[in-house]
Amino acid sequence: MIPWVFLVCSLPLSAAVVPTKTLGVSPDLSSKYVPSKAGTWRCLDGSKEISWDFVNDDSCDCLDGSDEPGTGACPDTQFYCQNEGHIGTYIPSSRVNDGLCEVQCCDGSDERSGVCPNLCKEIGDAYKKKRDAELKIQREGAKVRSSYIAYAHQEKKRLEAEAQALAEQIKIKEKEVQRLQDIAERTESLSQAALEQKKKSPLYQSLLAHNNALKSLQREHNKHLEREKALGEILDALRTGYNPNYQDMAVLEAVRGWEELAGLPHINDVGKETEGSEESKEEDAVIEEELEEGALSADDLQREVPGLLDTDYISLMLEHEEHIQAPVEGSILFDLTSYMPDSVIPAYEDFKDILISWLQKFGIVSADGSAADSSRAQQALHDAENELDSLKKNMETAESDAKEIFNIHGFGAKGEWKKLDGTCLEKDTGDYTYEVCLFKEVKQKPNHGGTTFSLGKFESWNPSSEVEPGRPEFYQKQVYKHGTRCWNGPERNVVLKLTCGVENAILTVQELEKCEYEFTGTSPALCLSVQENGTKNGQPREEL
């Protein structure tokens, strides 16, 4: 009779070493690997109930393979490596007991005891050190990203306020355009003879006289300014160059007078910062003259006089006449049609037109059909209309820019990329400097002379259909297309791959294929806070 110990030794090693029932089971499923009171166990898909002894016995009994989590007996199943001290992970069950130590299973649990050493502590320590460094970068970058988001909100408010202000200006300008339209129409309908007659009015002649006087004053004022500037330069040269030792009282008196008039310290006191000199400066400070109500300061004169000189006095005169001839608001005294029944008004209008034509025919009313000189009125109207169109375009641009700030396909759901719009980053590779102006264009600039080429203009964020717009990974890739065409080749294109970093920078430049470039870089705009980064690429955050 063969002793039992020799019988055991003669059995295959796989039969002698039986894996534990929960080997290869992940923590979230461990509660389901418990036998019933009858010593049975139900497959996870509920299709069959088997003996608890059949679990992890290296024989596949369940259709879903759930009875063999720790062996490779069932196809298309996964083995969970506990990896205590590091991060647990899954590997295909086909790699279990294959005699190879898997990197993912640093605890060696995928092989028989003693085959693979447990390296989880060393690997875990190295991973933790690397992860701590990444978290430090992430936290610092997240602070910068927060400032980008704050900027986006401020920019949106600024653009909305700008659009609102432009809307108010548009209302005012529309009224001005309507006013100038009326003036232009009246000027066109006014005969040249009538216009010349109106120009002879005392008011118009007085306005022209005032205009000429103002032009003359401006001319003389400018002459005096030039003369004062020249005299000031002469006196400054005398002040800094005369020799006080000669005791020339005439020169000394002239210098003292200039210093007092110009509010300058005495040349011998320059640089002496004493308390007394400060008090003297305060005493010698020129007190500005208080202006009467409506009076213009020197700055106001420089700014407003040119506009006054450019006044269209003909239009102003016509407006004045309309104003003084208009009936009192609410009055119908001079409106004959207000006294007539509605049925009579058409006949009255026809009679009025016939009467006016008769009066013109007999010379009682001037029938001179020559157009009045309306060029200035038309020019003023044209300028006002152009200004109105410009205001409307600016308002539309401000409104559009404000809406675009939080567009997930543009500057991100939180506007974190708005701050970087147009920011240019460079990478010097020796022969070339590559410039990436975010959301604009990528260029290749030679460092030793030659032609600068466009490598593409901004086309989109990550175009993959598998990436959801607005997710962090969506903003990890920018595509620039339609650059300068290569000689005998396609157009140049660039894919810019970005990761979280404390700085906006280009790290590497590669030409993977002819005229197809791949850049890598970093940006704080991708650095989510630790709280926001609870998931990574849709997966739970890794923890030790």
Side-chain angles (χ1 to χ4, degrees):
M1 178 177 171
I2 301 174
W4 65 271
V5 66
F6 292 104
L7 180 62
V8 171
C9 292
S10 65
L11 293 174
L13 186 58
S14 60
V17 181
V18 180
T20 62
K21 300 299 183 183
T22 57
L23 180 65
V25 177
S26 63
D28 57 324
L29 293 176
S30 60
S31 61
K32 296 184 178 181
Y33 281 83
V34 177
S36 67
K37 293 182 179 179
T40 61
W41 182 80
R42 182 170 293 277
C43 302
L44 294 185
D45 63 358
S47 60
K48 186 186 295 186
E49 188 169 352
I50 62 176
S51 170
W52 175 248
D53 293 335
F54 292 170
V55 176
N56 269 344
D57 67 344
D58 205 20
S59 175
C60 194
D61 299 298
C62 294
L63 296 178
D64 61 355
S66 57
D67 63 308
E68 297 298 319
T71 72
C74 298
D76 301 324
T77 56
Q78 290 186 311
F79 176 89
Y80 185 79
C81 307
Q82 299 289 340
N83 292 343
E84 292 185 13
H86 189 40
I87 300 169
T89 188
Y90 285 98
I91 64 170
S93 295
S94 59
R95 298 182 184 177
V96 176
N97 292 330
D98 62 353
L100 300 176
C101 298
E102 305 295 336
V103 176
Q104 296 90 334
C105 271
C106 59
D107 60 358
S109 59
D110 61 312
E111 302 297 328
R112 297 179 182 88
S113 178
V115 174
C116 297
N118 188 335
L119 302 176
C120 284
K121 185 179 186 307
E122 293 83 349
I123 294 176
D125 289 344
Y127 176 84
K128 185 176 184 301
K129 184 177 180 180
K130 178 184 176 184
R131 182 61 178 157
D132 288 345
E134 291 175 347
L135 286 173
K136 182 180 179 181
I137 292 174
Q138 182 180 336
R139 291 190 182 97
E140 292 177 359
K143 292 179 181 178
V144 180
R145 180 175 182 269
S146 296
S147 70
Y148 290 174
I149 294 173
Y151 171 84
H153 285 279
Q154 292 172 358
E155 186 67 3
K156 186 172 188 293
K157 289 180 180 178
R158 185 190 69 79
L159 289 169
E160 289 175 341
E162 180 181 326
Q164 182 62 35
L166 288 169
E168 296 299 324
Q169 293 178 40
I170 287 171
K171 291 180 182 178
I172 297 172
K173 185 59 68 174
E174 284 175 339
K175 292 180 180 179
E176 182 182 351
V177 167
Q178 183 59 51
R179 179 180 66 82
L180 293 173
Q181 178 71 43
D182 294 340
I183 293 172
E185 290 175 356
R186 289 199 306 273
T187 305
E188 287 180 355
S189 64
L190 191 65
S191 70
Q192 186 65 39
L195 181 59
E196 291 301 326
Q197 181 63 29
K198 290 181 183 295
K199 286 182 179 180
K200 296 176 182 178
S201 71
L203 175 61
Y204 183 74
Q205 295 299 320
S206 176
L207 288 172
L208 290 181
H210 281 77
N211 181 268
N212 290 330
L214 192 55
K215 285 181 180 178
S216 300
L217 286 172
Q218 186 187 46
R219 182 179 64 252
E220 293 301 318
H221 176 67
N222 290 335
K223 287 181 181 179
H224 284 294
L225 288 179
E226 290 296 324
R227 186 179 182 188
E228 179 186 336
K229 180 180 178 182
L231 290 173
E233 291 174 352
I234 293 171
L235 289 169
D236 279 333
L238 179 62
R239 174 173 173 263
T240 56
Y242 86 104
N243 188 344
N245 294 327
Y246 291 150
Q247 297 185 355
D248 189 330
M249 297 307 296
V251 175
L252 179 62
E253 185 177 350
V255 170
R256 288 292 193 181
W258 169 240
E259 289 172 344
E260 181 178 356
L261 179 63
L264 300 171
H266 183 45
I267 188 63
N268 294 336
D269 295 334
V270 174
K272 297 178 181 179
E273 299 179 355
T274 62
E275 193 171 316
S277 64
E278 292 296 328
E279 293 176 359
S280 176
K281 286 181 183 178
E282 293 179 3
E283 292 175 1
D284 293 340
V286 178
I287 300 175
E288 293 186 5
E289 180 184 359
E290 293 186 7
L291 298 175
E292 295 180 1
E293 185 177 356
L296 300 179
S297 66
D299 291 339
D300 293 336
L301 285 172
Q302 293 292 332
R303 184 173 57 254
E304 297 186 19
V305 166
L308 292 172
L309 291 173
D310 198 38
T311 302
D312 183 357
Y313 291 112
I314 294 177
S315 299
L316 184 62
M317 179 181 62
L318 295 176
E319 279 191 275
H320 173 70
E321 287 192 354
E322 182 181 2
H323 173 72
I324 61 176
Q325 292 175 5
V328 179
E329 186 177 354
S331 172
I332 61 172
L333 181 60
F334 300 103
D335 186 3
L336 294 179
T337 57
S338 300
Y339 298 93
M340 298 179 182
D342 293 341
S343 59
V344 179
I345 291 176
Y348 165 75
E349 295 290 347
D350 292 339
F351 171 75
K352 184 178 69 173
D353 292 339
I354 295 172
L355 177 62
I356 291 173
S357 67
W358 284 350
L359 292 174
Q360 290 176 344
K361 183 180 294 185
F362 290 108
I364 300 174
V365 175
S366 174
D368 185 0
S370 60
D373 182 9
S374 60
S375 59
R376 294 194 67 179
Q378 288 291 345
Q379 185 61 46
L381 174 61
H382 179 70
D383 292 343
E385 288 175 336
N386 286 341
E387 291 176 11
L388 179 60
D389 289 341
S390 178
L391 288 172
K392 288 181 177 179
K393 289 178 181 178
N394 290 340
M395 186 182 74
E396 290 174 0
T397 299
E399 290 176 340
S400 175
D401 289 348
K403 292 178 181 177
E404 191 66 21
I405 288 178
F406 297 104
N407 181 353
I408 60 173
H409 296 280
F411 299 121
K414 295 187 176 181
E416 62 270 29
W417 293 93
K418 175 61 180 176
K419 177 75 172 179
L420 301 177
D421 184 19
T423 297
C424 294
L425 312 175
E426 290 189 344
K427 178 65 176 179
D428 189 340
T429 61
D431 292 332
Y432 299 98
T433 292
Y434 292 88
E435 179 186 69
V436 179
C437 292
L438 298 173
F439 303 100
K440 304 298 181 187
E441 189 175 9
V442 180
K443 294 180 180 179
Q444 180 192 60
K445 301 186 292 187
N447 291 337
H448 308 292
T451 304
T452 295
F453 291 110
S454 170
L455 301 188
K457 294 179 176 61
F458 179 73
E459 177 86 4
S460 68
W461 290 103
N462 194 334
S464 173
S465 59
E466 299 178 358
V467 178
E468 180 183 352
R471 296 285 301 163
E473 54 270 26
F474 180 71
Y475 302 108
Q476 291 173 358
K477 181 186 290 186
Q478 283 191 340
V479 177
Y480 292 79
K481 287 188 174 182
H482 308 302
T484 305
R485 184 176 295 278
C486 289
W487 184 82
N488 199 26
E491 293 178 330
R492 292 172 169 86
N493 297 312
V494 173
V495 172
L496 172 60
K497 294 183 177 180
L498 296 165
T499 56
C500 165
V502 295
E503 294 181 347
N504 295 293
I506 301 299
L507 302 181
T508 64
V509 174
Q510 294 184 40
E511 187 175 5
L512 301 181
E513 297 180 18
K514 185 177 182 179
C515 304
E516 295 289 337
Y517 297 84
E518 180 182 275
F519 291 20
T520 64
T522 60
S523 174
L526 280 170
C527 297
L528 303 179
S529 65
V530 176
Q531 292 77 14
E532 288 180 298
N533 201 33
T535 60
K536 184 177 182 180
N537 297 330
Q539 299 299 322
R541 185 178 59 192
E542 296 175 342
E543 293 184 0
L544 295 179

